[in-house]
Amino acid sequence: MKKTGMIAPGATIGMLGGGQLGRMAALAAANLGYKVHVLTPEIDSPAGQVCAVTTIADYTDPAALDAFAAAVDVVTYEFENVPVEAAERLAETVPVRPGAEALRVAQDRLREKEFAANLGIGTAPFRAVGAADELAAAIAAIGAPAVLKTRRMGYDGKGQVKIAADTDPAQAWAAIGGKPAILEGFVTFDMEVSVIVARGTDGKSLCYPPVENRHVNHILDTTIAPAAISPALAAEAEEIARKMAEALDLVGLLAVELFVTRDGRVLMNEIAPRPHNSGHWTMDACVTSQFEQMIRAVCGLPLGSVARHGDAEMKNLIGDQAHDWAAILADPAAKLHLYGKAEARPGRKMGHVNRIIRKG
């Protein structure tokens, strides 16, 4: 019998994925009286370190999935590359929030662009690319500069290559491993922003304000909350997030990354149906953090206030930057969050620091 209805405190939340987003969601769940059971192939995962139960298994292991479903009251996930088939199998027994459709769209860059376009939401110009000759035709249609991205997987700049006017299509195609891809035209933008929208089981939604995201080497470095954009542009960005969440019938969180162009447009770039790096500032600057909001949404509880205590800045700690923890803690205004990862590798997100830069 499939479990339905409000999931009351004391129940067990199933978490697919053992990364830092799962860790912070599990800590928020514990504050609300829930236990978290994480399923991950990773030993000593950041989430596993703080969860009540950890199952070490592959996401495609049917026996592990069935046992996991029987042991939890609702399932969510902390990264969007969970196999859709796993979510569908779990959903036969237990609510999975967000559902498999959100995964299906977010896992494929072409599908998410087409999804946005079908809703009348602006994006960069794009073309599907399945072979080197198709890439040449796509470049001719879109022009250069552009960027070639694998449709699936790849993040923080991985799985993509820039296309210039003199780029050899065959070499570019080989550089991404000859995988199904999407060519996106370059967008001249003033700012990259993101909006996180929470949507409950009752269909009600709340948005955190748009924030500005600044990247270094294709990895998010700093988030500034709120973004310095006009109220009209902020409202448009929030409406895009709400529209996409509603069209997906999403329950949980949806992060929407956007470009604010120099001519005043807001264009959707990518979505993620989970907590997002650009929402970490909410942990110390909002009445309800993105992680608590996620737990409230997937358990069918009323959503919490998104009011903020002030303007804030989040700084990622990448690689060896996490070794500066003593100096960070010496600053009484800094709120340090470390993820429990044993090895600080270049490009690896090890933690973050939040600061309220102006009181509300």
Side-chain angles (χ1 to χ4, degrees):
M1 179 72 69
K2 187 171 179 178
K3 305 158 189 172
T4 59
M6 183 179 290
I7 312 297
T12 299
I13 299 168
M15 179 72 67
L16 295 172
Q20 64 264 19
L21 300 177
R23 177 190 183 94
M24 290 180 276
L27 292 171
N31 285 339
L32 291 176
Y34 294 95
K35 297 180 285 290
V36 173
H37 179 163
V38 64
L39 187 150
T40 175
E42 182 183 357
I43 297 172
D44 192 32
S45 67
Q49 292 170 5
V50 302
C51 286
V53 183
T54 301
T55 293
I56 307 294
D58 190 84
Y59 301 118
T60 60
D61 182 333
L65 290 171
D66 292 347
F68 180 68
V72 303
D73 298 286
V74 65
V75 171
T76 189
Y77 40 84
E78 61 98 42
F79 78 125
E80 65 270 27
N81 287 316
V82 173
V84 170
E85 296 75 16
E88 291 175 335
R89 186 182 185 100
L90 292 168
E92 295 174 2
T93 305
V94 65
V96 177
R97 299 169 178 162
E101 182 61 16
L103 287 176
R104 192 175 287 108
V105 172
Q107 286 176 2
D108 187 318
R109 289 186 174 91
L110 176 62
R111 188 172 285 154
E112 71 181 351
K113 287 288 195 303
E114 292 175 337
F115 181 77
N118 287 337
L119 292 173
I121 295 168
T123 70
F126 64 91
R127 293 288 189 282
V129 177
D133 59 344
E134 291 182 14
L135 175 57
I139 294 171
I142 290 178
V147 59
L148 180 68
K149 301 178 181 179
T150 55
R151 286 177 56 173
R152 302 177 64 86
M153 306 299 286
Y155 58 94
D156 292 342
K158 300 180 178 70
Q160 59 183 261
V161 61
K162 290 182 180 179
I163 303 294
D166 60 350
T167 297
D168 180 347
Q171 289 183 353
W173 180 244
I176 62 163
K179 297 176 181 177
I182 179 173
L183 183 72
E184 298 178 11
F186 263 40
V187 173
T188 302
F189 59 89
D190 278 338
M191 189 183 299
E192 291 186 44
V193 303
S194 59
V195 174
I196 295 172
V197 59
R199 187 170 183 269
T201 54
D202 59 1
K204 293 181 180 178
S205 62
L206 285 174
C207 288
Y208 292 94
V211 297
E212 179 184 355
N213 298 317
R214 298 177 180 176
H215 294 76
V216 175
N217 297 324
H218 303 289
I219 300 173
L220 180 62
D221 180 76
T222 304
T223 292
I224 299 168
I229 57 178
S230 71
L233 284 177
E236 184 178 351
E238 291 180 17
E239 180 56 27
I240 287 171
R242 284 195 184 93
K243 184 182 288 189
M244 297 190 78
E246 183 175 345
L248 289 167
D249 195 21
L250 179 135
V251 174
L253 296 186
L254 182 70
V256 183
E257 298 179 28
L258 307 123
F259 297 123
V260 177
T261 68
R262 291 180 182 172
D263 58 359
R265 293 176 297 148
V266 179
L267 304 178
M268 193 283 298
N269 182 34
E270 292 183 352
I271 62 171
R274 54 163 172 80
H276 196 258
N277 195 168
S278 68
H280 291 353
W281 66 278
T282 64
M283 297 173 74
D284 299 300
C286 287
V287 173
T288 309
S289 75
Q290 67 164 343
F291 298 103
E292 180 182 333
Q293 199 75 292
M294 171 191 179
I295 300 303
R296 284 172 173 258
V298 302
C299 290
L301 306 180
L303 298 180
S305 169
V306 295
R308 65 183 191 276
H309 308 307
D311 298 347
E313 181 176 292
M314 186 281 302
K315 174 73 170 66
N316 269 335
L317 299 176
I318 308 297
D320 289 344
Q321 292 175 351
H323 295 161
D324 295 334
W325 58 266
I328 294 166
L329 289 174
D331 177 358
K335 297 289 291 184
L336 176 65
H337 301 268
L338 295 176
Y339 303 152
K341 297 179 180 179
E343 184 183 358
R345 298 193 297 267
R348 193 181 197 194
K349 295 172 182 173
M350 301 296 294
H352 69 271
V353 183
N354 287 334
R355 291 179 173 86
I356 293 180
I357 54 179
R358 186 173 63 187
K359 297 288 186 181

